[in-house]
Amino acid sequence: MLANARVHTPAGTTVVVEVEATPERCVVRVRDDGPGIPAELLPRIFERFTRADMSRTRAPGADGGSGLGLAMVESIVSAHGGRSEVQSAPGRTEFTIELPPVGVASVEQTRAVASR
């Protein structure tokens, strides 16, 4: 998520990371004051190959990726029994990851991971 913030926001954007840990959960928030994510992209932002730049080619040296970074974040978070979400508007985007405490994952989540 930090790499995405670095690559996909303009120079001068402030990125803040917060971690909140309690016995019940661990929450990681990555927030920036960049231009935001287009509203039509938000419902599928954690899906594989989702990119704001839909072109098939980029200029030499242009930053950008394959659209797999946030899908990998979602997959890892889900495998650990957590959840990911994003809220975005111009001037404020916040990604939130919530994880259960170490060693706490439901049997259903463990089965889902094992069956993949």
Side-chain angles (χ1 to χ4, degrees), residues 73-87:
V73 167
E74 173 65 17
S75 180
I76 292 166
V77 169
S78 179
H80 288 281
R83 64 181 184 82
S84 307
E85 66 179 39
V86 63
Q87 296 179 347

Side-chain angles (χ1 to χ4, degrees), residues 21-85:
T22 68
E24 295 80 31
R25 66 187 186 149
C26 178
V27 179
V28 179
R29 292 182 184 87
V30 178
R31 182 176 55 251
D32 69 63
D33 61 1
I37 298 168
E40 65 274 5
L41 197 60
L42 287 173
R44 60 182 208 283
I45 195 74
F46 292 106
E47 293 176 9
R48 293 180 295 163
F49 308 115
T50 298
R51 297 184 344 206
D53 173 7
M54 299 308 293
S55 67
R56 291 181 178 242
T57 60
R58 293 187 176 89
D63 286 331
S66 60
L68 292 174
L70 292 176
M72 288 189 286
V73 167
E74 173 65 17
S75 180
I76 292 166
V77 169
S78 179
H80 288 281
R83 64 181 184 82
S84 307
E85 66 179 39

Side-chain angles (χ1 to χ4, degrees), residues 1 19 52 61 77 84-86 88 91-92 95 98-99 102 111 114:
M1 288 190 337
V19 177
V77 169
S84 307
E85 66 179 39
V86 63
S88 185
R92 181 181 171 90
F95 285 89
E98 185 173 330
L99 296 165
V102 174
R111 286 185 192 138

